[in-house]
């Protein structure tokens, strides 16, 4: 399977460390199969807590293989920043989609599903299904 057929995943957190750690976890749990393009976009350019439109746009461009980009976010302003970028229309690659999913569980489901070569709709559905995962 060619990498250019894979959905890219962007993980947007208010913390660079959280975004990077969730990306590492999701990649690790996806196993040794196809390496899905995953990019963290956490914090601000200066390394502080917050969100950065520039970091998000750069991360999305870096994982775009032409099959779409699934963006998962943690909290409020991360969601608003991605929505603003999508509304602008030219800041994110074509086929970029904000995915409504829990951040950690959704990221794992998205990366695992994308590693099978699934399309963007399937990746989004798998990530969203993570809301139903009950712990007790």
């Amino acid at each position: 399977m060619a990498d250019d057929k894979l959905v890219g995943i962007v993980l947007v957190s208010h913390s660079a460390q959280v975004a990077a750690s969730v990306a590492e976890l999701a990649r690790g749990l996806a196993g040794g199969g196809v390496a899905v393009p995953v990019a963290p976009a956490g914090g601000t350019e200066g390394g502080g807590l917050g969100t950065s439109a520039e970091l998000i746009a750069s991360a999305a461009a870096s994982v775009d293989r032409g099959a779409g980009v699934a963006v998962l976010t943690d909290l409020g302003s991360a969601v608003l920043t991605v929505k603003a970028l999508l509304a602008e229309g030219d800041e994110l690659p074509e086929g970029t989609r904000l995915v409504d999913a829990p951040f950690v569980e959704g990221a794992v489901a998205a990366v695992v599903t994308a590693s099978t070569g699934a399309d963007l709709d399937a990746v989004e559905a798998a990530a969203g299904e993570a809301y139903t995962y009950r712990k007790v």
Side-chain angles (χ1 to χ4, degrees):
M1 175 185 336
D3 281 349
D4 61 352
K5 301 298 182 197
L6 294 174
V7 172
I9 312 289
V10 175
L11 302 175
V12 181
S13 173
H14 283 68
S15 163
Q17 292 85 358
V18 168
S21 294
V22 173
E24 179 184 0
L25 175 68
R27 281 189 210 102
L29 292 178
V34 175
V36 173
V38 180
T44 63
E45 288 88 350
L49 294 177
T51 55
S52 162
E54 292 78 17
L55 290 177
I56 295 166
S58 176
S62 78
V63 300
D64 181 23
R65 303 294 185 272
V69 176
V71 181
L72 287 85
T73 62
D74 61 1
L75 305 168
S77 68
V79 175
L80 296 176
T81 303
V82 173
K83 284 183 175 182
L85 287 167
L86 288 168
E88 289 174 22
D90 61 351
E91 296 294 317
L92 297 174
E94 188 174 335
T96 298
R97 191 179 298 173
L98 175 60
V99 173
D100 184 15
F103 192 60
V104 175
E105 295 91 335
V108 171
V111 172
V112 168
T113 303
S115 74
T116 70
D119 66 12
L120 184 56
D121 289 337
V123 170
E124 179 179 28
E129 286 172 14
Y131 274 127
T132 65
Y133 176 68
R134 305 301 308 169
K135 296 176 175 114
V136 292

